[in-house]
Amino acid sequence: MLRLPSHNQRFHLLLRNLSSFASKTTIFMTSKHFLPSPLLPQTLSPKHFSTPSKRLLPSFPSKPIPKNQSLSLRTNGFYSLPSPSVSSPSPDVEDQPSDTRSLQILNYKLKQLGIDITECVAGRENRLMCPSCNGGKSGELSLSLFINLHGYSASWLCFRAKCGWKGYKKAAADGKPSIENLGRVNKVKFKRQITVESLQLEPLCNQLTAYFAERMISSETLKRNAIMQKRSGNKIAIAFTYWRKGELVNCKYRDLAKRFWQEKNTEKILYGLDDIADASDIIIVEGEMDKLAMEEAGFRNCVSVPAGAPPSVSKKEVPAEEQDTKYQYLWNCKEYFKKASRIILATDGDLPGQALAEELARRLGRERCWRVKWPKKNDLGHFKDANEVLMYLGPSVLKDIIDNAELYPISGLFNFSSFFDEIDQYYHRTLGYEFGVSTGWRALDNLYNVVPGELTIVTGVPNSGKSEWIDALLCNLNEGVGWKFALCSMENKVRDHARKLLEKSIKKPFFGVGYGSNVERMSVEELEKGKKWLNDTFQLIRCENDSLPSIQWVLELARAAVLRHGVQGLVIDPYNELDHQRPVSQTETEYVSQMLTKIKRFAQHHSCHVWFVAHPRQLHHWIGAPPNLYDISGSAHFINKCDNGIVIHRNRDPEAGPVDLVQVCVRKVRNKVVGNIGDAFLSYDRVTGVYNDIDESQKK
């Protein structure tokens, strides 16, 4: 049960209405004494400098109560009922008044989570032991629980940074609508008014002044930032005072063992807030010592976050202001950032520090954020933060680091400096494929070379040898530079495709009859060696059922082949064997454009060359000349979007020349460094499927 502080008569009404429930329980009269004021302890700890909440503290019974006995709600001078069993709400709940029924149900639900509200006060903040972290090593009451005044709902948040457990429960889904959130808790939460005198702060002693001097922080900087100390017995702690417009808002403590704590029930703001009033340039650091170090380097327009860094960047969207509890200090100071056009994030260089920078940038706007790069300390690592740089390298180096802060990266937005290393490698030709990879045919060296990350469209009339030429090209690339490939060839049976590739590699026919009757057939030993070569060089992308594969399905498997097997080339042969279902509102031209964009992005991202075979549309009045790339069925985007466009054409007229003469028409080359538009002629060996160079006299 909960105490409703402004509805005392309701409790007497509840007693009458709950007679059946009360008969099963015992009613206690509580004692009227309050908790005594705590004495100042002899050792410093975070809880020593916390002022108790101004809400009424629950009194204790005059006799001890065993831990396994349910404890009744007790209020000074009022009767109250013990809470029901945690197993289920009371069977008489439906007969109780709505407020009491809601409290019973809410009490049951919260007990399932380990939250005991028997000593809690509705309508105000309650501090409890967090069942998730048990208050950490110090055992502090870190769970802040707020219960609706009528008991319809409860919300909670653990303020320990390593826990942060939060949640919200309603007594009933169909209860009265009262949608509070954590922001409501923050607004209702009592904020203490503190002063230097009330906290019993005092000037720094010589010991602490010497400690700061060792960290290169001068006494002038300490005095200007009102650094003080807190004494408890023979223990002292540094007191970092948080001011806003001349008023003390919070105080954070640090002992010499580097343990931190803050005053409870105070508003969270940035440290050094008044130093950035009306500033156009603002520096944000991760700790108070770094803020002081920045001042030693000449930067007063600096603030520090009050609560350290998160372990990693949240994968969730940035919550609304009233729900963004972990970064409420930013929202409490948002008016100070309105005029800032440049915010330098100088957080720590470790992973949590970088995560903090990202979380700050998400809230402040990446477009006006800069970041610093801490210099190398040695071969193993870098300096961690501003104070470490100040101590080891001096204020001038720290100033240079801030002056040379770089733009905070925005996904998809770059400048050329991000690619200078790659440009230098390109200039000095250390990448390896600046001029592309030779096809293995001298006739094509000046026209077409294979560059990783490009898209080549190959077309030609039926039976002109498009697929045969690509297979021969793959064999040459493997023999020349050791490339591996993924094959999505829907027109070939696997055994037929294997035969063609083996014949080109071994340069002997697979069979000894028919087309290969007059030539020595490959031996069993050569076949076994060739099978190993096939397995090591090619990965097959094939649909195992009778459905047509989509381009997205092909690219996903090709990506797996790149990552798993290191393939450098992908063949998709042909276009019309893919599934081209598209929305009714999308034209074929729009679909082809979108499809080719996906293929190009795959090629560029994975540095994989893609050969895409597309048939021309039906050619009316064809007289035997090579088709044009604009003749490809589907869309002109095939030539518009490709990096290279090639037409394979075979002579069919014995009177016009040898029928084994193959014309390779290079019709588009986007990169002038690797090729030119023109024609090359090769000789095709029908027995082995090998393409060979021919000299100029034969071509004529």
Side-chain angles (χ1 to χ4, degrees), residues 369-383:
C369 288
W370 271 249
R371 68 178 181 181
V372 301
K373 281 190 174 181
W374 301 116
K376 291 190 67 173
K377 180 187 295 184
N378 48 46
D379 294 337
L380 300 178
H382 294 71
F383 287 97

Side-chain angles (χ1 to χ4, degrees), residues 284-286 305 308-313 327 345-361 371-372 374 384-385 408:
I284 302 180
V285 293
E286 193 174 322
V305 300
S312 60
V313 179
Y327 299 91
L345 305 179
T347 54
D348 289 2
D350 54 14
L351 291 179
Q354 299 308 303
L356 174 61
E358 175 63 17
E359 293 290 1
L360 295 175
R371 68 178 181 181
V372 301
W374 301 116
K384 180 175 178 289
D385 53 33
Y408 196 86

Side-chain angles (χ1 to χ4, degrees), residues 584-656:
V584 177
S585 59
Q586 187 180 44
T587 66
E588 184 177 14
T589 299
E590 292 170 339
Y591 167 76
V592 170
S593 175
Q594 187 180 72
M595 176 191 65
L596 293 175
T597 297
K598 289 181 179 179
I599 295 174
K600 289 194 65 176
R601 287 181 177 174
F602 164 82
Q604 293 171 359
H605 182 73
H606 296 287
S607 192
C608 178
H609 195 101
V610 179
W611 292 271
F612 197 5
V613 178
H615 295 308
R617 63 176 181 269
Q618 186 175 0
L619 300 176
H620 298 286
H621 310 296
W622 181 58
I623 59 175
N628 195 286
L629 288 175
Y630 284 108
D631 293 325
I632 297 177
S633 176
S635 170
H637 282 303
F638 281 106
I639 185 173
N640 296 336
K641 289 207 165 188
C642 68
D643 297 295
N644 309 284
I646 293 176
V647 178
I648 302 298
H649 187 64
R650 182 172 62 85
N651 178 39
R652 289 173 169 78
D653 185 4
E655 296 182 359

Side-chain angles (χ1 to χ4, degrees), residues 490-523:
M490 282 76 74
E491 288 186 329
N492 282 312
K493 294 181 179 179
V494 173
R495 64 187 186 186
D496 288 334
H497 205 173
R499 171 182 58 79
K500 295 175 184 179
L501 292 169
L502 287 172
E503 288 177 341
K504 290 174 176 60
S505 175
I506 300 173
K507 296 179 175 57
K508 291 182 180 181
F510 192 83
F511 295 112
V513 296
Y515 71 93
S517 59
N518 297 324
V519 183
E520 181 186 359
R521 181 190 184 188
M522 68 178 68
S523 65

Side-chain angles (χ1 to χ4, degrees), residues 3 19 31 37 96 104 205 209-210 220 327 385-386 416 431 438 450 465 480 512 520 528 549 569 626 663 665 676:
R3 175 165 60 87
S19 58
S31 62
S37 300
Q96 299 174 14
Q104 292 277 6
C205 63
T209 302
E220 291 79 9
Y327 299 91
D385 53 33
F416 272 104
L431 293 172
S438 173
V450 182
E520 181 186 359
E528 293 300 321
Q663 184 179 358
C665 310
N676 295 285

Side-chain angles (χ1 to χ4, degrees), residues 27-258:
I27 300 176
F28 297 93
M29 174 69 78
T30 60
S31 62
K32 295 185 178 181
H33 58 268
F34 292 88
L35 289 177
S37 300
L39 298 176
L40 191 64
Q42 296 302 312
T43 58
L44 277 177
S45 68
K47 59 186 178 181
H48 293 155
F49 306 123
S50 303
T51 302
S53 171
K54 288 187 177 181
R55 67 173 174 83
L56 291 177
L57 295 174
S59 61
F60 290 94
S62 57
K63 295 182 180 180
I65 297 179
K67 291 183 179 180
N68 58 359
Q69 179 177 336
S70 178
L71 186 63
S72 307
L73 172 70
R74 291 167 171 78
T75 59
N76 294 304
F78 293 102
Y79 290 97
S80 57
L81 297 174
S83 57
S85 171
V86 75
S87 59
S88 65
S90 169
D92 300 322
V93 161
E94 294 300 326
D95 298 328
Q96 299 174 14
S98 60
D99 285 1
T100 304
R101 183 167 61 252
S102 297
L103 291 174
Q104 292 277 6
I105 297 174
L106 188 63
N107 181 42
Y108 166 73
K109 289 185 175 181
L110 292 178
K111 279 197 173 184
Q112 303 301 307
L113 300 174
I115 301 177
D116 187 359
I117 63 172
T118 55
E119 295 289 346
C120 292
V121 180
R124 296 186 182 181
E125 184 210 15
N126 299 272
R127 281 301 181 95
L128 305 172
M129 180 71 73
C130 175
S132 177
C133 66
N134 293 322
K137 295 181 179 179
S138 61
E140 62 178 325
L141 303 179
S142 59
L143 187 72
S144 174
L145 175 73
F146 179 84
I147 302 174
N148 173 271
L149 191 61
H150 300 287
Y152 296 144
S153 62
S155 54
W156 62 91
L157 170 68
C158 178
F159 286 101
R160 292 189 68 249
K162 292 185 178 180
C163 180
W165 182 49
K166 61 183 179 181
Y168 174 79
K169 279 287 182 185
K170 291 203 298 186
D174 58 347
K176 293 184 179 181
S178 179
I179 306 176
E180 298 90 2
N181 50 38
L182 293 178
R184 172 75 176 270
V185 176
N186 291 335
K187 292 178 182 178
V188 176
K189 182 179 177 181
F190 170 74
K191 303 296 183 185
R192 292 170 52 208
Q193 301 295 320
I194 59 175
T195 63
V196 172
E197 293 75 17
S198 66
L199 299 181
Q200 299 181 351
L201 303 182
E202 55 188 39
L204 290 175
C205 63
N206 292 335
Q207 179 185 358
L208 293 183
T209 302
Y211 170 78
F212 280 104
E214 292 176 355
R215 307 188 72 85
M216 303 292 290
I217 307 299
S218 65
S219 57
E220 291 79 9
T221 298
L222 297 175
K223 183 177 180 181
R224 199 193 74 82
N225 288 275
I227 309 298
M228 307 186 78
Q229 70 179 35
K230 176 79 173 182
R231 187 182 298 275
S232 176
N234 60 350
K235 303 289 185 179
I236 56 174
I238 301 168
F240 296 102
T241 52
Y242 283 63
W243 302 82
R244 180 174 58 197
K245 298 179 180 179
E247 178 183 352
L248 184 61
V249 176
N250 189 15
C251 190
K252 182 176 177 180
Y253 303 98
R254 167 180 171 161
D255 62 17
L256 297 182
K258 206 175 180 180

